Amino acid sequence: MVLIFLRSLLFNILFYPNFVFWAVVALPTLVMPRKALLRVANWWAQSNILLMRIVCNIRVEYRGVEKIPTGPLIVAAKHQSMWETISLLHFFDAPFFVLKRELLRIPVFGQYLVKANMIAIDRGSGARALKQVMRRAAEEVNRGRQFVIFPEGTRRPVGAPPDYKAGVALIYADCGVPCLPVALNSGLFWPRRTFLRYPGTLVVEFLDPLPPGLPRDEFMRRIETVIEDATNRLVAAGRAEQAQLFSRAAAPERA
């Protein structure tokens, strides 16, 4: 655990200067097409994945990439960590998220969010915020973009009971495009509310897309079932791998 602590500390020390570096690199994109900003964001994401591999011994594996449809799309992903908010961008031409309005006030970073045309909402406004998301999501998807949404609304600890919100079904019905479910086990390696980073293989799995037009109840049942079943499988495999890694690391101490 001492080695994990030291590696995690080093990763976090490097993470923020790395962010500042790419934020500076991205400055010219404020007067360029949005694709230029998204390209720099992808470079930033890839640099973080490299840091994770070198510093924390976290490898990243993507499965089912061939299942990703082209064009307008809803991407419904499991949300265990900040990691997926950074790294899922890589697979889509024109992705967008929903985010807290307060983030727009961060100097420079807020301007990047505006340039990327993300949906900023006041989460305290309840139903009004959902209506705003539905309207904006339909507008952006109709322009050919990919809406990356976390159906549970916030990060959930690994192993927590699922808590899928009905809003994802309303947005799916309103947009009329396929929905790509995404399972992952990122919470084992980049947990929420801690700076510790644990070794192993972080897996993201793109599952079979759901066609547009499913009834609301069927959509909710299928999206939760396929994501949770695949996530549980990935988490079980990740825990088994970590158990082996930790036992090997502890072996010299027991000798």
Side-chain angles (χ1 to χ4, degrees):
M1 287 301 295
V2 173
L3 182 58
I4 290 174
F5 176 87
L6 293 175
R7 284 179 164 180
S8 301
L9 181 62
L10 178 58
F11 175 83
N12 283 276
I13 290 172
L14 296 174
F15 178 84
Y16 294 102
N18 184 53
F19 170 75
V20 172
F21 169 79
W22 287 110
V24 172
V25 169
L27 282 173
T29 68
L30 291 174
V31 294
M32 298 169 67
R34 183 176 61 220
K35 285 186 176 181
L37 173 60
L38 292 175
R39 181 171 299 175
V40 176
N42 285 332
W43 293 341
W44 170 54
Q46 294 305 307
S47 70
N48 286 317
I49 290 173
L50 182 61
L51 278 179
M52 290 166 60
R53 177 68 182 93
I54 294 173
V55 177
C56 302
N57 193 25
I58 301 172
R59 294 166 299 283
V60 178
E61 178 182 339
Y62 300 102
R63 300 175 184 171
V65 175
E66 71 282 355
K67 297 178 181 179
I68 301 176
T70 58
L73 182 67
I74 294 173
V75 182
K78 187 68 177 177
H79 195 15
Q80 296 179 342
S81 167
M82 189 179 83
W83 181 87
E84 49 267 17
T85 65
I86 299 172
S87 301
L88 286 180
L89 295 174
H90 174 66
F91 294 95
F92 306 101
D93 295 329
F96 66 101
F97 292 89
V98 173
L99 48 86
K100 295 184 292 185
R101 191 183 302 276
E102 292 80 3
L103 294 177
L104 300 183
R105 303 190 188 120
I106 300 175
V108 182
F109 182 68
Q111 295 303 307
Y112 291 143
L113 296 177
V114 172
K115 177 72 176 183
N117 208 11
M118 301 297 180
I119 300 178
I121 61 168
D122 176 6
R123 292 190 174 180
S125 58
R128 188 174 65 181
L130 178 58
K131 290 180 180 178
Q132 178 189 358
V133 170
M134 291 174 62
R135 177 180 59 81
R136 285 288 312 283
E139 291 173 355
E140 297 301 323
V141 168
N142 286 335
R143 294 188 179 106
R145 301 185 70 188
Q146 300 82 38
F147 183 23
V148 182
I149 185 171
F150 303 112
E152 294 174 281
T154 188
R155 290 174 296 172
R156 301 279 292 166
V158 175
D163 185 23
Y164 286 65
K165 311 297 184 185
V168 66
L170 298 175
I171 293 169
Y172 161 81
D174 208 36
C175 290
V177 296
C179 178
L180 178 69
V182 182
L184 44 77
N185 60 4
S186 58
L188 293 175
F189 312 98
W190 187 320
R192 65 178 197 156
R193 298 175 185 172
T194 177
F195 83 98
L196 292 176
R197 305 288 178 260
Y198 296 95
T201 305
L202 191 162
V203 180
V204 178
E205 185 170 345
F206 299 98
L207 306 168
D208 292 327
L210 301 182
L214 294 175
R216 174 178 168 178
D217 289 346
E218 181 181 353
F219 172 79
M220 287 299 297
R221 176 180 56 79
R222 288 179 63 176
I223 200 73
E224 179 174 337
T225 299
V226 297
I227 292 177
E228 290 302 310
D229 286 352
T231 293
N232 290 339
R233 170 171 46 80
L234 297 179
V235 166
R239 281 178 166 157
E241 180 191 18
Q242 286 185 328
Q244 291 182 344
L245 290 172
F246 296 158
S247 65
R248 285 201 297 266
E253 298 176 8
R254 295 196 301 266

